[in-house]
Amino acid sequence: MKSPVGRALLACLLAAICLIGVDGLLFHSGLYTSILEPDSSAGMYQLILYREQQAQQRYGDSMILTLGDSRFAYSPRLSNELTPQTEYTFRNAGMGGSELRSWYYMLRDLDPTASRYRALVFGVNDYGDEDTLDYPDDNIRALHYVITRLRWSDAWDFARSFRTPSVQWQAFRGTIFKGMVLQSDIEAFLTHPLKRIAYVKLCHRGYEDWTYNFVDSPASMAGLTIDWSTMQATYPPGATAEQIGTTTSWLLHPPSPQTGRTAEYRRKWFGRIIDRYRGSRTKIIFVRLPRGPIPRPASLTQPTTSSIREFASRPNVLLCDEAAFNSLEHPELFKDAWHLNREGIARFSPMLAEEISRMLGTPK
């Protein structure tokens, strides 16, 4: 190519090849993954994966893995105090802010043979597919959680799992050129590289103990009342902005239009997980989490389908009794409208272990 246009096209092609090569060397090879900022979404996701891979080498053949977001607030340490009776060991690969698309990629790398766990327990807000204004199928935050686990071969499928074309392009571009997603992380590393490396090493040494022995806040919603006829809440003295904000967004929001998007999203990603474990010894268990300090009346929820109940017809899927943890739905057991507090977790953890053990029976 001797024309100016030809030379320009060739230069662009060579630049693109070089860019893909450099990006692949740094980010698709796992080289940069080892120095991710541990407190970032991607770094925390990677830490959890590393922690649970190490745990697989320490624990026996009767491990139960739980996955969920921050609402699945329980303590594996407290659940495992019942291990002498249940014979099961609980581990948690969930993460605050994550969603089931992120859980799929976590499981793909954590359990590549789909045979390591006796059960996978998913904590969900409801068995009904209620749509809210926060549509999970367009949640681009998933890219920032799973970025280190995505492969070039995932680019098209991962991008197509989003709904809006602009979000699809962002996901596709980010999967191919991971450096674009990790740009702020890279800049922070280059500013203080030795400090980052030391912190990463500290987290790898201590993350297991920090998380396993973590004790949550004793803050309480005791005194909260709600008049559902007027959709007005009365808060306890000294209520924090977090407690008021979560009550407004989680309990007092008006019903949303039901579009079927939540059902479609669940069928796609839970379906993939269930299909992946078809024929294995691993059971898939769904647990309805405690709904809040004061549950919303049934008249304010309008799910028209239940993909999770549909999954229960499959041979390796089990549904926990929806009312199993209703006894925890009291203001004094919640630190805000979303999350159980220290006392709530102390009650929920052994209850969860007993319920899952009852459903599975004694390990053979």
Side-chain angles (χ1 to χ4, degrees), residues 17-269:
I17 293 173
C18 289
L19 180 59
I20 292 174
V22 171
D23 192 274
L25 177 63
L26 290 176
F27 307 114
H28 285 269
S29 67
L31 182 63
Y32 189 80
T33 301
S34 63
I35 53 173
L36 276 169
E37 166 57 53
D39 295 332
S40 67
S41 298
M44 187 79 66
Y45 190 90
Q46 186 65 26
L47 261 181
I48 291 172
L49 177 66
Y50 172 81
R51 181 193 66 192
E52 296 311 309
Q53 287 172 331
Q54 299 304 305
Q56 290 177 353
Q57 302 174 29
R58 295 193 305 273
Y59 293 96
D61 196 42
S62 297
M63 295 175 65
I64 293 172
L65 187 72
T66 60
L67 297 108
D69 58 19
S70 62
R71 290 203 67 248
F72 199 169
Y74 87 105
S75 167
R77 176 178 56 83
L78 296 178
S79 294
N80 291 338
E81 289 181 357
L82 276 65
T83 299
Q85 291 80 43
T86 66
E87 301 183 37
Y88 292 108
T89 300
F90 282 76
R91 299 291 305 182
N92 182 19
M95 180 179 173
S98 64
E99 36 73 64
L100 61 94
R101 177 165 30 203
S102 306
W103 308 337
Y104 169 81
Y105 289 102
M106 173 70 74
L107 287 169
R108 188 179 70 173
D109 285 355
L110 185 57
D111 189 13
T113 63
S115 61
R116 185 62 185 85
Y117 298 99
R118 289 300 182 101
L120 305 176
V121 180
F122 294 96
V124 297
N125 296 326
D126 197 356
Y127 289 168
D129 302 318
E130 183 177 13
D131 288 303
T132 66
L133 295 180
D134 183 21
Y135 292 114
D137 56 2
D138 247 359
N139 188 349
I140 194 58
R141 287 184 301 174
L143 173 65
H144 297 271
Y145 283 92
V146 306
I147 183 64
T148 61
R149 312 317 308 175
L150 293 173
R151 307 160 187 166
W152 277 316
S153 58
D154 293 322
W156 177 249
D157 180 64
F158 181 72
R160 291 286 294 171
S161 72
F162 297 90
R163 193 178 187 94
T164 305
S166 60
V167 179
Q168 291 177 341
W169 168 243
Q170 188 177 348
F172 181 81
R173 181 188 61 188
T175 305
I176 298 297
F177 299 109
K178 294 186 177 185
M180 299 180 69
V181 181
L182 298 171
Q183 182 177 349
S184 60
D185 193 286
I186 297 166
E187 292 173 352
F189 170 74
L190 293 176
T191 303
H192 299 288
L194 296 181
K195 182 179 178 181
R196 166 73 67 82
I197 292 171
Y199 185 48
V200 169
K201 290 181 178 179
L202 175 65
C203 290
H204 275 81
R205 290 195 303 268
Y207 195 63
E208 166 69 19
D209 287 339
W210 302 340
T211 52
Y212 194 73
N213 295 305
F214 175 74
V215 177
D216 215 313
S217 167
S220 169
M221 295 287 283
L224 174 71
T225 60
I226 296 178
D227 183 345
W228 295 110
S229 64
T230 61
M231 297 294 284
Q232 296 294 317
T234 301
Y235 298 96
T240 66
E242 181 74 10
Q243 290 174 327
I244 295 172
T246 54
T247 301
T248 301
S249 63
W250 180 245
L251 298 177
L252 297 179
H253 65 84
S256 301
Q258 297 303 294
T259 64
R261 288 174 63 171
T262 297
E264 181 182 353
Y265 177 73
R266 282 178 160 184
R267 290 189 182 107
K268 178 181 180 67
W269 289 104

